Amino acid sequence: MSNLWAQNKITFTIQANKPTATVASTMWGLFFEDINLGADGGLYAELVKNRSFEFDTPLMGWKINSAKDVMYGFYFGSDIQLINQPDKAATNPRFIRVALHKTKKGELSLTNEGFRGMGIKKNLRYEFSVFYRQQTATAMLHAELITEKGDIIGSAVLAPEQTDNRWHKVEMSLTALATEPKANLRLWFEGSGIVDLDMISLFPTDTWKGRKGGLRADLVQMLADMKPGFVRFPGGCIVEGRDLAQRYQWKKTIGPLEERKLIINRWNNEVKTRPVPDYFQSFGLGFLEYFQLCEDIGAEPLPILNCGMACQVNTAELIPLESLDPYVQDALDLIEFANGDGSTPWGKLRADLGHPAPFQLKMLGVGNENFGLPYVERFKRFQQAIQRQYPSVKLVGSTGLLSSGEMFETTNADLRKLKVDIVDEHNYSAPQWFLQNAGRYDHYDRSSTTKVFVGEYAAQSVGMTNPTNKNNWRTALAEAAYMTGLERNADIVQMASYAPLLAHVDGWQWKPDLIWFDNLGVMATPNYYVQQLFGANKGNQVVPMLDKNKLPVTGQDSLYASATLDKAASELIVKVVNAGGKAQSIEANIDGLRKLPLTAKVIMLQNNDLEAENSFTSPAIIAPIESIVNVQNKRLKVDLKGYSFVVMRIKL
Ligand code: AHR
C-alpha cells in the first residue's frame, strides 16, 4: 500500500488565463469499419446470416432438413432448390424454391445459424420477414426460435396469401420465451404447392431508437457515451478492397435492402490465422444509415472514399488517371447526396429515402492508407474537382500505413504542398512508442495550413499488429499519455480516433479493439474508458500546463499532462497520466483562478497491474472512479496513485 501513495511533491503551473489554441469540436471521434463482425453480426442488428443466399457458398449458414434434399451429408436440391436468376435480378439473383407435396411437420425445414448463433432475449418481440412468390395459397410457413439444445423458445406461423407469382414482403412477430445466447431460426413448411423465398430476416425490436431493421441499441449507446465529435466510416481497408472489384462503393449501399448487392468482406480471408469464410458485406448498414447514426449521436460524418487504388498491401491495383472520372464523380455525388436539396438528383434521392433534411457533410476522406506518387496524383484530381464545386468541404488525405519513414515523409510533404486541409496519420505501435511520442506534435511545423487527423491508433501490447495483442492497462495508459500530447497540440491535431472500434468475441480478426461484444452484451476495455474520458471532458480551449522548467509535461517523472477550458461550463479540465508505478503528489498553481476555496471533481482510472484487463465476467477491473478534492489558494493538490490516469474538473 505505502508505495502507492505519494512520496514526492511535483509542482506545475496551469496558465488558465492564457489559452493557446481552440480544441476542435471534432477532436475525439470514432473510426468505424466492418471488421471483427463490426457491422454484419454486430452493429447491424440483423440476426439471419446470408439472408439472401448470395454468399459465395449460397447455403452457407443454412442447414436443410429434408430426406430428399440431403443424402450422405450432401445437398442435392430436390424439394428445396437454390435458384440463380441473374437475368432477372442482377444484384440479388439467388433465392430458394420450396416444393411441398402434402408435406407434414418434421419433413422439410431450413435452419439459420445466425452470426455465431443469435442472441435472443426473454419477452422481447422479434420481427420475422420474408419475400415470397407463389401461384397457389396452399403452403404454410412456420418460424421457430430454437436453443442450442433444440428447445423451441418462440414461434409464429404464416400463410402466404398472394398468388400472383410476384414477390411480396410479409412480416410476423415472435416473442421469445427465454434468453438464449446462441439461438437458431428454424423454418418449417407444411401443405402443398411451390413457394419461392428470399431475404429471410429476423430483427429484435429493441433496436437503437426502435428503428425497424436498425442497429443494436447497446452498441450505439456505447458509441454515444463517448461523445464523439465525428465518425469516420466505412473503414479502413474495406474502402480500398483487396482488389478494385471489392472496393467499397457507397452508391451500392443505399435504397431497398434487397437491391444492395452483397460482396465479400476484405477481412474474410485477410488474416491467415483468423479465417472467417462466412464474412460478407450485406450493406444493410449502408451510407444512409451511417449518416443517420452520425446525426443521432451528434457526430460529424467523415466518409472515406476509394481513390482509384486497391489496398497497397494486397493487389495495389490502380485505375489509370485517364479513367478516374467515375471515382471522382462518386465523391461529388456523395456530397450532393448528403447536402443537396430536393431540387438536385442526389438530394432528392436522399429525401425519397426518408431523410429530406441535409446531413451537412463538411469533410470527406480520399483514400485509406494509400501513399506514394500514384496516390498523390489521384488525390489531386479529387481535390481539383471537389474544390471547384464544393470549396467549403474539407478534404482528408492519407499518409499511408505508417507515420514515419520515407513513404510517410514524401506523401506527407507532397500533400502539404497541395495544401490539403487535413492529413490522416496511422499508428499501431508498442505502448513505449506512445509514451515517447507524447511530445510528437509539440515540434510540428506550425507554418503549414494542413491539420492532422490521427485517424487510426492503438497501442499494441506485443509491439506490433498481431492477434495476440491485449487490451490491457499498459496499452490504455500509454494511449492516455499520448492523447495529452494530441490535446496540447489541438491547434494542429484536430481529430483523432482509436482503431478498430468493435469486435465480436467469436468473430474477430484483429486485436486490440476498443469495444468487445457477444450476442447479448458489451464489454468496455480500459482503452474505451480512456477514450470516453477524453471525449466527455474535452473542453474547447487549450491552456498551458508547465513543469518547473516551464516545459510541457511529456514524461518528466513519468507524468504526462494537458489542460483545457470548457467555456460553456466555465470549468478548467486537467488531465494527468502517471505512467510510473510510484505514487506521486502533484501540486498545480492555477493562474487566473479566484482565491476562493473550490472543489474539483476527480475521475480516475487506475490499476497496479499493467497487464490487467477487463472481461465479460469482471468488466470493471479498470473503470472510472469519481471523488472530490479541495482547491485552496489557487492550488490543486492531488495524490496520484501509481499507474493512474486522472481527469480533474474545477469550476472557475
Ligand atoms: O484498423 C484495422 C486496419 O488497420 C484498417 O482497416 C486499416 O486502415 C489499418 O491498416
Side-chain angles (χ1 to χ4, degrees), residues 296-605:
D296 288 351
I297 63 177
E300 296 288 347
L302 170 54
I304 307 281
L305 296 186
N306 187 292
C307 62
M309 300 172 79
C311 182
Q312 285 167 271
V313 296
N314 291 149
T315 62
E317 273 182 354
L318 286 177
I319 289 294
L321 282 174
E322 62 275 19
S323 308
L324 197 63
D325 284 357
Y327 287 71
V328 177
Q329 193 59 47
D330 273 358
L332 296 171
D333 292 342
L334 179 64
I335 300 170
E336 186 177 295
F337 178 72
N339 295 351
D341 62 30
S343 67
T344 63
W346 288 99
K348 178 172 181 321
L349 178 60
R350 183 198 66 243
D352 292 347
L353 292 176
H355 202 286
F359 284 113
Q360 314 290 2
L361 177 70
K362 300 187 185 89
M363 306 173 284
L364 184 68
V366 176
N368 172 67
E369 291 198 342
N370 296 113
F371 56 88
L373 187 59
Y375 170 64
V376 176
E377 288 171 340
R378 280 159 186 76
F379 179 88
K380 205 167 155 183
R381 293 290 180 91
F382 280 82
Q383 191 187 36
Q384 285 163 349
I386 294 169
Q387 277 183 349
R388 201 176 312 127
Q389 213 167 321
Y390 299 105
S392 66
V393 173
K394 290 197 167 142
L395 291 187
V396 178
S398 156
T399 55
L401 295 84
L402 306 170
S403 60
S404 60
E406 198 197 323
M407 265 310 162
F408 168 77
E409 299 296 344
T410 51
T411 309
N412 190 25
D414 288 349
L415 288 176
R416 282 167 186 269
K417 272 186 222 140
L418 293 178
K419 295 203 179 308
V420 56
D421 300 293
I422 305 164
V423 284
D424 180 6
E425 298 183 4
H426 292 185
N427 266 303
Y428 295 100
S429 307
Q432 198 56 28
W433 184 95
F434 284 86
L435 294 176
Q436 284 162 354
N437 281 270
R440 174 181 172 102
Y441 299 102
D442 294 339
H443 314 293
Y444 252 50
D445 172 14
R446 282 181 154 73
S447 64
S448 167
T449 55
T450 299
K451 305 297 178 190
V452 172
F453 168 32
V454 186
E456 293 183 31
Y457 66 96
Q460 312 288 298
S461 65
V462 301
M464 57 193 287
T465 55
N466 191 287
T468 60
N469 274 309
K470 297 198 164 132
N471 283 103
N472 59 23
W473 181 224
R474 184 190 300 281
T475 59
L477 198 59
E479 287 153 9
Y482 177 68
M483 289 167 80
T484 61
L486 306 186
E487 185 169 85
R488 186 174 49 252
N489 290 286
D491 56 326
I492 291 180
V493 182
Q494 302 212 326
M495 308 171 80
S497 43
Y498 182 101
L501 183 63
L502 297 175
H504 190 297
V505 288
D506 297 325
W508 59 272
Q509 301 80 52
W510 184 292
K511 253 186 183 180
D513 304 287
L514 201 62
I515 301 167
W516 286 84
F517 62 94
D518 60 18
N519 291 344
L520 288 173
V522 182
M523 195 261 304
T525 60
N527 316 72
Y528 173 86
Y529 287 123
V530 166
Q531 294 289 325
Q532 192 197 35
L533 285 182
F534 271 88
N537 298 286
K538 185 164 60 69
N540 37 33
Q541 287 188 327
V542 181
V543 291
M545 176 159 176
L546 305 171
D547 73 359
K548 58 180 188 301
N549 299 317
K550 303 215 176 321
L551 293 171
V553 191
T554 57
Q556 305 90 307
D557 299 302
S558 302
L559 297 177
Y560 301 80
S562 58
T564 58
L565 294 177
D566 182 335
K567 283 282 186 191
S570 191
E571 285 182 68
L572 170 69
I573 307 170
V574 183
K575 302 186 181 83
V576 184
V577 170
N578 180 6
K582 199 169 57 126
Q584 315 219 46
S585 213
I586 63 162
E587 185 175 307
N589 291 308
I590 307 171
D591 293 348
L593 196 66
R594 285 174 296 162
K595 268 201 166 159
L596 300 172
L598 297 166
T599 54
K601 181 164 102 176
V602 180
I603 313 161
M604 179 180 70
L605 290 174

Side-chain angles (χ1 to χ4, degrees), residues 31 33 35 232 236-238 267 368-369 426 428 456 499-500 510:
F31 159 91
E33 176 170 27
I35 179 173
R232 166 191 166 160
C237 292
I238 65 166
W267 296 104
N368 172 67
E369 291 198 342
H426 292 185
Y428 295 100
E456 293 183 31
W510 184 292

